[in-house]
Amino acid sequence: MKPWLERLGYCSAWVASLSAQASEMTFEWDWMLSAETVQQRETVFSPMTDNKHQESFNGLLDVQIGYQNWNAVVALKGNDLYSQSSIQSEDKSAEAELIVSELFWQSSIDITDIPLDLQLGKVRVDWGVGYGYRPLDIFTPYRRNPVGIQVEEGAGVASVSYFDDQGEWSLIYTDSSWTQQKGSELEEQSEQQGIGIRRYALVGDTEYQWVAYYDDVRQGLLGASVVTVLDTAWEFHGSAVYQSKYLSYQQPSITRYSVTLEKEENAYQALVGLTWANEIGSSIVVEYWYDSRAWSKNEWNNALTVATPSYQQGFNHVNMVQHNMMFHWSLDSNAWTAWQWSKDISWLSQFTPTFDVLYSPEDNGVIATQWLNYLLHDSGDSSVEMELAARFLTGKSDSAYANLSDKHMLLLNIKGRF
């Protein structure tokens, strides 16, 4: 064979190999555009002479990639592509972030006829149960029910899992410092490395889970959860966590001093909830949870009395108040065909309303959120949705929620997949 023909043969084989590999790769693209307006207010921590508002436009494009034993989620996030504030000096400049949310390898091996699943890389590990709060999401912060664009990142993970007739045993090592996005001081100082074991079991209609974990920040954590189906309409879920050490903002004994981030001992979180759903499409979730790491009512009363800016650090805790109640309602878009008055209104079959109320029973604070979602297009391979979201932070004037700087926020989101 002539040399140039031989080279042509090699090139053709290389191109064929690349084409075969490319055909094995899978891509799922998601995008979101969000226009947001935020009305701010005067609080005891931030006196204002004029009402202040901010407007911004943000975007997100992310891709989920699968290739053989590898999986990745990569996001391109555009922050403040347009930004305007009633105070001109607070206008923000546009910036872009390329965020690797997940990048991991997973496979299976047999050791002495014992099948094991392996996972290695940056992974989102969500063991929590619950809607408003999930105590067992213990590795990286997981922001529940955001109204705008949010990119959730995984932690560095190495895990081995074994499946039996009832469920799963897992041995896991994690490093939460793998996150790229900058968090609050509390989140940055809480980054941990640790190792733990988890048991998950399904017995009849009930799921059980327990976790034992040790890391260099909490120095010991025990957690458990249960989810059970009571009948065709009702479900119960609950979880609890104890940790030996934790970081918290502590109020000084002398008011002229600032709040400081300190390591404390013995923290408890617990959640119980009920879910009810009917055949028409209504779904209701009611939850109560307690978090001892948050400031108590007396501590918030003291913070609102002293009212120096450093006391705003109490808002950076995972839960702002210790006692929380959540009410959630949503209606499936298929429900509109069940009623006589709405079954002939065709556009309602693409409309999904959702409503949440977070209530603080100790000080009567309220955060109310609504989502109105309309499906513009869905071909199976691609979809486009339009969503109007609104969040109102209110309650008694001396409640923690009513002293957040944001009074309300309105968002128009357009998102889709292709």
Side-chain angles (χ1 to χ4, degrees):
M1 182 183 290
K2 293 183 179 180
W4 66 272
L5 287 175
E6 185 177 0
R7 288 196 296 271
L8 182 60
Y10 288 151
C11 184
S12 299
W14 177 71
V15 170
S17 176
L18 283 181
S19 299
Q21 292 180 24
S23 65
E24 295 177 4
M25 298 183 72
T26 60
F27 298 87
E28 292 186 8
W29 296 86
D30 292 273
W31 57 272
M32 182 173 177
L33 300 173
S34 179
E36 176 182 12
T37 178
V38 179
Q39 181 70 47
Q40 296 185 308
R41 61 185 165 200
E42 181 176 20
T43 72
V44 297
F45 302 113
S46 55
M48 293 166 43
T49 55
D50 298 311
N51 288 333
K52 186 169 70 172
H53 69 272
Q54 295 178 334
E55 298 173 358
S56 63
F57 183 78
N58 306 286
L60 175 70
L61 176 67
D62 75 42
V63 57
Q64 301 176 45
I65 307 170
Y67 175 67
Q68 295 182 354
N69 294 331
W70 288 90
N71 292 275
V73 180
V74 181
L76 178 61
K77 184 182 178 186
N79 301 316
D80 299 309
L81 302 175
Y82 164 82
S83 177
Q84 185 179 25
S85 173
S86 57
I87 301 177
Q88 191 170 4
S89 61
E90 294 187 5
D91 286 346
K92 301 175 182 178
S93 56
E95 60 178 12
E97 293 180 276
L98 185 64
I99 304 165
V100 180
S101 298
E102 293 187 300
L103 175 59
F104 62 92
W105 170 87
Q106 58 185 4
S107 187
S108 300
I109 61 171
D110 286 352
I111 298 179
T112 63
D113 294 328
I114 299 175
L116 300 174
D117 285 1
L118 308 177
Q119 197 171 52
L120 181 66
K122 186 176 183 180
V123 189
R124 272 229 60 97
V125 181
D126 302 325
W127 291 341
V129 298
Y131 174 80
Y133 175 53
R134 296 157 61 107
L136 282 176
D137 287 341
I138 58 178
F139 302 121
T140 52
Y142 189 45
R143 294 162 181 84
R144 301 296 295 161
N145 311 313
V147 288
I149 291 175
Q150 186 68 51
V151 178
E152 299 291 349
E153 295 186 67
V157 169
S159 68
V160 180
S161 298
Y162 167 72
F163 292 86
D164 58 23
D165 293 338
Q166 286 191 325
E168 175 187 5
W169 289 93
S170 297
L171 179 66
I172 188 169
Y173 165 83
T174 71
D175 182 348
S176 67
S177 67
W178 285 33
T179 53
Q180 296 174 239
Q181 299 172 94
K182 185 175 178 59
S184 66
E185 179 191 23
L186 177 60
E187 291 172 340
E188 297 283 337
Q189 294 296 320
S190 297
E191 290 179 348
Q192 47 75 30
Q193 299 179 42
I195 188 168
I197 187 170
R198 171 188 180 244
R199 173 58 172 167
Y200 166 85
L202 175 62
V203 181
D205 292 330
T206 303
E207 298 179 358
Y208 299 97
Q209 181 180 208
W210 63 259
V211 177
Y213 187 77
Y214 186 91
D215 63 68
D216 55 351
V217 175
R218 288 170 288 210
Q219 299 179 23
L221 179 148
L222 295 173
S225 71
V226 60
V227 179
T228 186
V229 177
L230 303 176
D231 58 28
T232 57
W234 289 92
E235 172 265 5
F236 169 82
H237 55 273
S239 59
V241 168
Y242 163 79
Q243 61 189 67
S244 177
K245 308 286 185 182
Y246 68 101
L247 289 169
S248 175
Y249 287 103
Q250 297 300 308
Q251 299 183 10
S253 57
I254 302 176
T255 57
R256 68 173 180 270
Y257 295 152
S258 298
V259 168
T260 55
L261 187 61
E262 304 287 347
K263 182 167 280 192
E264 300 294 321
E265 296 185 351
N266 301 322
Y268 303 88
Q269 302 109 61
L271 175 143
V272 291
L274 289 168
T275 302
W276 174 82
N278 66 8
E279 67 279 0
I280 293 178
S282 283
S283 177
I284 293 175
V285 181
V286 179
E287 291 180 335
Y288 163 82
W289 66 90
Y290 171 77
D291 188 344
S292 69
R293 299 169 300 175
W295 282 354
S296 66
K297 184 177 188 300
N298 289 336
E299 287 175 306
W300 272 114
N301 286 341
N302 183 62
L304 296 172
T305 300
V306 178
T308 60
S310 83
Y311 281 75
Q312 293 183 92
Q313 301 283 16
F315 292 128
N316 290 325
H317 289 133
V318 175
N319 287 295
M320 298 177 199
V321 294
Q322 290 186 343
H323 298 272
N324 304 267
M325 297 181 68
M326 167 69 78
F327 171 85
H328 161 83
W329 170 81
S330 64
L331 181 68
D332 189 274
S333 58
N334 294 321
W336 302 106
T337 60
W339 295 306
Q340 186 68 34
W341 68 271
S342 58
K343 66 179 183 179
D344 294 328
I345 306 175
S346 59
W347 65 268
L348 282 176
S349 63
Q350 311 299 323
F351 177 65
T352 303
T354 303
F355 183 63
D356 288 356
V357 176
L358 176 60
Y359 174 64
S360 171
E362 285 192 299
D363 61 7
N364 297 311
V366 176
I367 299 179
T369 309
Q370 66 147 52
W371 292 267
L372 302 175
N373 183 281
Y374 187 76
L375 182 63
L376 297 170
H377 162 78
D378 187 1
S379 68
D381 295 324
S382 63
S383 63
V384 180
E385 301 173 42
M386 183 171 63
E387 179 181 73
L388 179 64
R391 176 162 288 168
F392 302 89
L393 304 97
T394 183
K396 287 186 63 177
S397 60
D398 60 350
S399 66
Y401 294 158
N403 280 279
L404 286 160
S405 59
D406 293 339
K407 182 179 181 181
H408 64 252
M409 52 192 71
L410 304 174
L411 298 94
L412 177 62
N413 302 321
I414 302 176
K415 52 189 175 181
R417 168 167 288 196
F418 59 90

